[in-house]
């Protein structure tokens, strides 16, 4: 997470918004209230509406009316898209990436989980750094997961290369496979998991009823 909170107050002017984006070389800024809590975001697209908005029409739908509102605004609170989509310092990289992808945004304000106040900004580039995480660090996390599931080096063979995890060996029960692979896929820096596992007991097998 970036330690710089890129934000402006609700009464920031149009010129202030443009100047902030240019100063920090970002495509959006967070709008905060008097208590430094994010209430919305102004993006480059919101700014450009001032130039390209054709004016209102009786045929306009809800989306177009919202764009007209933004184009007519002169303050951050009038131009912003709301609500602000936020994360905390405890949000996983994977979840932050999903939020960015789902909402088609390239940065997120980071808030304090207790106060709700902005404490930083995480950018798409910050998340990409995870995927060059050292293989030995990824391996250490996976071995810790295996240990919590009572699986040791005699049970599993694990290698990591380029973020791809190859994991083979045996687990005591078939039901152990799913939680193991789920936890491994959530390790930061893991791109894909190639699993070749066998189980000693199929505890998920449902016996047919006796006739």
């Amino acid at each position: 997470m970036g330690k710089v909170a890129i934000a402006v107050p609700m009464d920031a002017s149009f010129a202030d918004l443009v100047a902030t984006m240019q100063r920090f070389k970002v495509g959006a800024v967070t709008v905060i209230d008097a208590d430094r809590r994010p209430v919305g975001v102004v993006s480059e697209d919101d700014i450009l509406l001032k130039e390209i908005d054709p004016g209102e029409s009786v045929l306009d739908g809800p989306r177009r009316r919202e764009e007209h509102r933004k184009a007519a605004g002169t303050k951050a609170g009038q131009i912003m898209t709301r609500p602000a989509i936020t994360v905390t310092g405890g949000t996983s990289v994977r979840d932050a990436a999903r939020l960015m992808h789902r909402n088609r945004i390239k940065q997120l304000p980071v808030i304090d989980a207790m106060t709700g106040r902005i404490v930083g900004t995480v950018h798409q580039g910050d998340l990409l750094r995870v995927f060059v995480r050292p293989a030995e660090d990824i391996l250490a996390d996976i071995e810790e997961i295996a240990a919590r599931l009572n699986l040791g080096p005699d049970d599993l063979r694990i290698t990591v290369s380029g973020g791809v995890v190859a994991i083979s060996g045996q687990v005591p029960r078939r039901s152990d496979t799913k939680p193991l692979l789920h936890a491994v896929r959530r390790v930061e820096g893991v791109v894909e998991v190639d699993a070749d596992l066998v189980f000693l007991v199929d505890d998920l097998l449902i016996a047919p009823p006796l006739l």
Side-chain angles (χ1 to χ4, degrees):
M1 145 182 120
K3 298 298 184 182
V4 177
I6 305 172
V8 297
M10 293 184 68
D11 61 354
S13 69
F14 189 89
D16 291 336
L17 289 167
V18 174
T20 302
M21 289 183 188
Q22 290 179 335
R23 177 185 175 189
F24 292 99
K25 296 180 174 59
V26 294
V29 292
T30 303
V31 182
I32 54 175
D33 63 16
D35 293 321
R36 293 185 56 81
R37 294 186 177 93
V39 291
V41 173
V42 176
S43 69
E44 289 175 328
D45 287 343
D46 296 327
I47 293 291
L48 291 174
L49 285 173
K50 183 72 73 174
E51 293 295 327
I52 65 175
D53 184 67
E56 293 189 33
S57 166
V58 293
L59 300 178
D60 289 338
R63 180 179 175 181
R64 292 295 298 152
R65 289 196 293 271
E66 175 69 4
E67 290 179 348
H68 296 320
R69 177 190 67 79
K70 293 179 181 180
T74 59
K75 303 291 185 182
Q78 300 167 331
I79 301 170
M80 68 184 183
T81 298
R82 53 196 175 201
I85 301 168
T86 62
V87 293
T88 69
T91 301
S92 71
V93 169
R94 198 173 299 275
D95 288 340
R98 285 196 187 102
L99 280 174
M100 288 187 183
H101 177 72
R102 186 183 307 138
N103 296 281
R104 298 182 180 179
I105 53 181
K106 295 184 178 181
Q107 63 191 59
L108 292 164
V110 183
I111 60 171
D112 181 277
M114 298 295 293
T115 65
R117 293 175 179 169
I118 190 168
V119 293
T121 305
V122 62
H123 300 270
Q124 207 170 48
D126 298 327
L127 305 186
L128 293 176
R129 294 191 192 109
V130 169
F131 295 106
V132 293
R133 190 179 178 210
E136 56 268 24
D137 292 351
I138 297 174
L139 181 59
D141 284 355
I142 296 173
E143 288 175 342
E144 183 178 333
I145 291 168
R148 289 202 300 267
L149 295 173
N150 295 317
L151 299 169
D154 294 336
D155 302 306
L156 301 176
R157 293 176 295 279
I158 307 167
T159 61
V160 181
S161 178
V164 177
V165 177
I167 180 168
S168 61
Q170 67 179 24
V171 294
R173 297 169 299 275
R174 184 179 180 183
S175 60
D176 294 325
T177 305
K178 186 174 181 179
L180 170 64
L181 297 181
H182 178 73
V184 170
R185 288 190 177 99
R186 292 188 64 83
V187 170
E188 292 187 352
V190 171
V191 177
E192 188 53 81
V193 179
D194 182 10
D196 181 17
L197 295 170
V198 297
F199 46 85
L200 299 178
V201 177
D202 188 350
D203 57 340
L204 299 181
L205 179 65
I206 300 175
L210 297 175
L211 299 179

